[in-house]
Amino acid sequence: SQTIHQWPATLVQPVGSPLSLECTVEGTSNPNLYWYRQAAGRGLQLLFYSVGIGQISSEVPQNLSASRPQDRQFILSSKKLLLSDSGFYLCAWSRTSYAGELFFGEGSRLTVL
Amino acid sequence: TQLLEQSPQFLSIQEGENLTVYCNSSSVFSSLQWYRQEPGEGPVLLVTVVTGGEVKKLKRLTFQFGDARKDSSLHITAAQPGDTGLYLCAGARGGSYIPTFGRGTSLIVHP
């Protein structure tokens, strides 16, 4: 069966510090991968998605970047965090041929102080 | 503008009541998904509907896809406290890798 894990679960960082959130998927190959941010328990804002190694599409220009160094690994980064980067970050995957169904990780709560 | 409009945004009911949550759009979707999310966790996929007019049942939950594939509803019969959570609908349009999410309906079921 397929599994997805993201870490760390909780992160408290000062303004201006770097960020790295990691996500890995097991049990499938060549998945589509996504990073979302969720504010205040509401809807999901798509940040990045990837359809293959090294292929990253950004939906919202901002202080964040993403990379996909391996087929089942997706990393969200920032060189200098802003207060507005605080939020709940979710990694998700979908099957290559069917983007409709997403399977989410446990989420990472980021607080920037 | 939000591509998928969910209503109501908030719902607070007593155990045993019935409720319906709506997900509406002016766009046609090739498929539509419903997710439930509990605080501090990732959303969990409940169901996918694909065919216009399709009805799917998951225990006390009934999902319906509109005939024109532009809207969907989720009906919960005899709600229980365990149904508490954020319900999200999401739609995928043909040829797109990116599902569009509604803003969610936050449901609280009081014992």
Side-chain angles (χ1 to χ4, degrees):
Chain A
S1 64
Q2 300 88 6
T3 59
I4 178 170
H5 296 292
Q6 63 176 104
W7 66 94
T10 306
L11 202 57
V12 180
Q13 292 287 101
V15 169
S17 64
L19 170 73
S20 180
L21 300 179
E22 191 164 340
C23 172
T24 60
V25 181
E26 297 294 335
T28 188
S29 59
N30 197 29
N32 297 327
L33 296 171
Y34 308 79
W35 278 111
Y36 285 88
R37 180 167 58 200
Q38 185 176 36
R42 301 301 295 171
L44 305 180
Q45 178 189 31
L46 179 66
L47 302 175
F48 301 94
Y49 72 96
S50 171
V51 300
I53 296 174
Q55 300 179 60
I56 309 294
S57 296
S58 173
E59 289 297 300
V60 182
Q62 55 201 324
N63 187 41
L64 303 171
S65 62
S67 63
R68 184 171 178 173
Q70 300 180 41
D71 181 43
R72 293 170 293 175
Q73 183 184 26
F74 206 23
I75 298 171
L76 183 68
S77 303
S78 174
K79 292 182 179 178
K80 290 185 177 181
L81 284 169
L82 307 172
L83 287 174
S84 58
D85 291 324
S86 293
F88 192 53
Y89 289 82
L90 289 158
C91 180
W93 73 274
S94 69
R95 290 185 290 272
T96 304
S97 59
Y98 188 43
E101 296 181 338
L102 295 187
F103 302 93
F104 288 87
E106 307 94 331
S108 298
R109 171 74 59 192
L110 170 65
T111 303
V112 182
L113 302 175
Chain B
T1 56
Q2 188 72 14
L3 196 57
L4 276 172
E5 297 287 347
Q6 283 191 243
S7 61
Q9 291 187 40
F10 301 97
L11 202 51
S12 179
I13 62 172
Q14 293 297 126
E15 182 176 2
E17 293 185 23
N18 301 331
L19 67 116
T20 302
V21 175
Y22 300 93
C23 179
N24 297 306
S25 176
S26 57
S27 300
V28 175
F29 292 95
S30 56
S31 70
L32 195 141
Q33 287 75 38
W34 285 93
Y35 298 82
R36 178 169 64 211
Q37 183 181 22
E38 298 190 18
E41 299 181 8
V44 175
L45 177 67
L46 296 175
V47 77
T48 293
V49 286
V50 178
T51 305
E54 182 177 6
V55 176
K56 282 191 174 180
K57 292 190 175 183
L58 185 65
K59 297 184 180 179
R60 293 176 292 99
L61 279 61
T62 301
F63 305 86
Q64 185 164 8
F65 203 12
D67 290 342
R69 291 185 290 137
K70 293 181 179 181
D71 53 80
S72 179
S73 64
L74 158 60
H75 182 80
I76 300 179
T77 303
Q80 299 178 1
D83 296 326
T84 293
L86 180 68
Y87 288 82
L88 294 158
C89 68
R93 292 193 285 178
S96 173
Y97 291 108
I98 309 170
T100 300
F101 279 83
R103 289 183 177 163
T105 293
S106 181
L107 170 66
I108 298 175
V109 182
H110 300 278

